[in-house]
Amino acid sequence: MKKLLISACLYGEKCRYDGKDNMLSCLDLLKDKFTLIPVCPEVSGGLETPRNPSEIIGDRVVMNNGRDVTAEYTKGAEIALGTAIENGCDVALMKAKSPSCGSGKIYDGTFSRTLTDGDGITVGLLKKNGIKVFNETQIKELVEYMELQR
Ligand code: SF4
């Protein structure tokens, strides 16, 4: 089966900043079709769960209490990329809007739930390395894309 990198919270792991998950309702369907490789860059980068929410401000990542967590986000991104490469994943399903896993749109750094154009730190690195990224609103497109790759 083809391998798919997936945000661990979409896979049901309670690794979100608030200690909850974002388990997909179609997770079993994806497990039938693909070998899922879960990653949580924020946890593997060394952050605790639960943790304060973070947003990207310029070239830094900062928690809502002012703590600079750029190093943890960068380390987590490198670990996620390493996992993708080791497993031969060239496609990823990553959680929308996250400062790590978001693709296309992320929060704008004002902690006011305002979106702006951009990618999370991990998704930016995955894309730079040629990995195609989808989010959980694009499952149909993802499955079609993966099936065309066979
Ligand atoms: Fe989910 Fe990614 Fe945030 Fe981890 S870093 S909780 S996988 S969105």
Side-chain angles (χ1 to χ4, degrees):
M1 267 200 290
K2 202 158 172 23
K3 291 182 178 174
L4 173 66
L5 197 77
I6 182 170
S7 291
C9 57
L10 297 177
Y11 189 76
E13 291 183 16
K14 296 190 184 307
C15 51
R16 263 172 46 152
Y17 72 95
D18 56 2
K20 297 181 179 167
D21 63 63
N22 294 108
M23 189 154 73
L24 293 169
S25 55
C26 62
L27 189 64
D28 287 344
L29 180 148
L30 291 179
K31 283 181 180 170
D32 286 346
K33 289 183 173 290
F34 312 117
T35 301
L36 303 182
I37 310 291
V39 289
C40 177
E42 291 174 26
V43 170
S44 57
L47 295 175
E48 61 283 354
T49 307
R51 55 190 172 275
N52 284 54
S54 303
E55 295 193 4
I56 297 174
I57 303 175
D59 58 359
R60 298 184 310 138
V61 189
V62 182
M63 283 184 163
N64 66 351
N65 63 1
R67 177 178 162 197
D68 187 320
V69 285
T70 310
E72 288 86 345
Y73 273 68
T74 304
K75 181 178 171 194
E78 286 164 358
I79 291 171
L81 175 63
T83 303
I85 292 170
E86 272 163 32
N87 286 282
C89 299
D90 50 16
V91 183
L93 171 57
M94 307 299 282
K95 175 75 186 75
K97 302 175 193 168
S98 152
S100 293
C101 297
S103 52
K105 294 273 179 199
I106 52 170
Y107 292 114
D108 70 350
T110 60
F111 294 97
S112 60
R113 313 286 296 169
T114 307
L115 290 169
T116 187
D117 291 340
D119 291 327
I121 303 293
T122 294
V123 163
L125 188 65
L126 294 177
K127 286 184 176 176
K128 243 183 239 161
N129 285 273
I131 295 173
K132 176 94 173 155
V133 178
F134 294 86
N135 66 40
E136 71 277 20
T137 70
Q138 301 170 314
I139 303 279
K140 191 168 170 277
E141 293 94 320
L142 161 77
V143 171
E144 284 170 4
Y145 181 85
M146 295 280 281
E147 287 181 342
L148 279 175
Q149 302 296 300
R150 278 167 208 272

